[in-house]
Amino acid sequence: MKRVFLLVALTLAATFSFAQGKADTKASLQLVRNATLILDYAGQKILVDPMISPKGAFQSFAGIERNPTVDLKMPVNEITKGLDLVMVTHSHPDHFDEAASTILDKSVQLINQPADSEFFKKEGFINAETLDYSRKWNNVRIHRIDAQHGTGEVLKMMGKTSGFVLKAKNQPTIYIVGDAIWTDEIKKTIKKYKPDYIIVNSGGAVVPGYENTPILMDEDQTMALIGESGKAKVIAVHMNALDHCRTTRDSLRQKAESLNIGVDKLIIPQDGEVVKL
């Protein structure tokens, strides 16, 4: 009988140790392309905003060339295998494309914003969940944050977008801003959640005919965010992949260097690059 109790105790201890080890796993972020990210977070594989079409698969946004303007640096099955969760900030094709809808398992757990609830039902995702405010998922607290995808008439055209804040024990707090311009609401979100990392879409995109009304943060707005980022490191993405994005990795780095902002504060990953968090 003592042997039985000992065996049970050892089994429970091993299970607890494994669970703890999973929770304590070091987090990482991999930029796939544009705003498509793979997060290794609290032992879970999370895919954010999958645009996984080949180069030139869909229409131009600015009349310059078809999108995406660059190929993926990794096989699609490497991106989609073993997923625990898909998070979609909004359903524009550069954040959730036809290829993602076709290739992803329709039973994958997916979190979307309220404005896209019907979209994912029509696409047939049976485990799509609309997140209004906040929920706990596999020991990860996920908060949805409203984002502002432009101003005035352009904002009406672009529609609703969101960001997400992720928090978990023994993990860095991550704020995925989503498609947004710099606003006081983002500043308030940073002060409220005190993220360790802020992922910002810095492509400086514009809509033809409204070239003076950005729909994403550009160099200047990204610098304004950095000025209010507190302890957070800023990771800039959504560049060098779409024809309506005017801000490039080079122009953003040049702007940062002119203000003495170094790589210890602003990280600008290349496609396929993994950033340890």
Side-chain angles (χ1 to χ4, degrees):
M1 184 63 72
K2 286 183 179 179
R3 282 186 182 177
V4 173
F5 281 129
L6 181 60
L7 182 60
V8 170
L10 289 172
T11 301
L12 289 173
T15 302
F16 178 76
S17 176
F18 174 77
Q20 283 292 102
K22 205 173 184 190
D24 293 345
T25 299
K26 293 289 186 181
S28 67
L29 171 152
Q30 183 174 26
L31 173 61
V32 175
R33 181 183 56 186
N34 196 51
T36 305
L37 312 170
I38 296 171
L39 293 177
D40 186 348
Y41 192 77
Q44 312 294 323
K45 182 179 178 180
I46 303 172
L47 178 63
V48 180
D49 283 357
M51 179 183 72
I52 52 179
S53 296
K55 178 181 177 181
F58 53 88
Q59 77 278 5
S60 164
F61 295 154
I64 300 171
E65 61 180 304
R66 290 180 64 83
N67 291 304
T69 60
V70 293
D71 281 316
L72 292 166
K73 298 289 188 183
M74 53 199 297
V76 170
N77 65 351
E78 188 177 321
I79 299 166
T80 60
K81 71 180 178 183
L83 291 176
D84 296 295
L85 179 67
V86 177
M87 299 175 64
V88 183
T89 61
H90 64 299
S91 58
H92 289 173
D94 57 322
H95 293 261
F96 193 89
D97 61 5
E98 186 176 342
S101 186
T102 301
I103 295 168
L104 289 173
D105 190 322
K106 296 295 185 181
S107 65
V108 70
Q109 191 157 8
L110 186 150
I111 288 178
N112 57 268
Q113 65 171 354
D116 292 327
S117 178
E118 289 302 314
F119 173 85
F120 284 105
K121 285 181 183 177
K122 289 178 181 177
E123 293 298 308
F125 286 88
I126 60 175
N127 286 318
E129 177 183 346
T130 297
L131 183 60
D132 286 313
Y133 302 106
S134 176
R135 69 153 292 182
K136 194 78 173 286
W137 170 81
N138 285 6
N139 295 318
V140 178
R141 173 62 64 180
I142 303 173
H143 305 271
R144 188 186 66 81
I145 310 295
D146 286 328
Q148 186 177 322
H149 203 359
T151 53
E153 289 301 313
V154 171
L155 179 58
K156 294 177 185 177
M157 293 164 53
M158 301 311 294
K160 297 285 188 181
T161 60
S162 295
F164 298 103
V165 173
L166 280 65
K167 297 175 70 73
K169 185 178 179 181
N170 299 322
Q171 299 286 288
T173 297
I174 300 173
Y175 177 19
I176 302 168
V177 177
D179 271 10
I181 58 170
W182 173 243
T183 62
D184 283 340
E185 291 306 310
I186 294 175
K187 186 192 299 186
K188 291 175 184 176
T189 299
I190 294 169
K191 288 183 177 179
K192 179 178 179 179
Y193 292 103
K194 297 177 175 59
D196 299 290
Y197 291 90
I198 302 171
I199 302 167
V200 56
N201 293 351
S202 296
V206 295
V207 176
Y210 297 88
E211 280 77 7
N212 295 322
T213 307
I215 58 175
L216 294 181
M217 292 189 219
D218 56 14
E219 295 92 341
D220 290 334
Q221 290 194 8
T222 302
M223 296 306 117
L225 179 145
I226 290 172
E228 299 289 343
S229 61
K231 67 176 182 178
K233 290 188 176 183
V234 175
I235 302 174
V237 299
H238 206 308
M239 291 171 285
N240 299 74
L242 300 169
D243 74 333
H244 70 323
C245 288
R246 292 180 165 186
T247 300
T248 66
R249 294 184 180 106
D250 287 343
S251 68
L252 187 63
R253 177 57 66 198
Q254 288 168 9
K255 183 68 175 181
E257 288 176 351
S258 74
L259 298 172
N260 295 316
I261 297 169
V263 295
D264 57 326
K265 182 64 176 178
L266 174 62
I267 301 166
I268 308 176
Q270 299 291 320
D271 291 350
E273 184 176 345
V274 176
V275 178
K276 298 294 184 181
L277 306 179

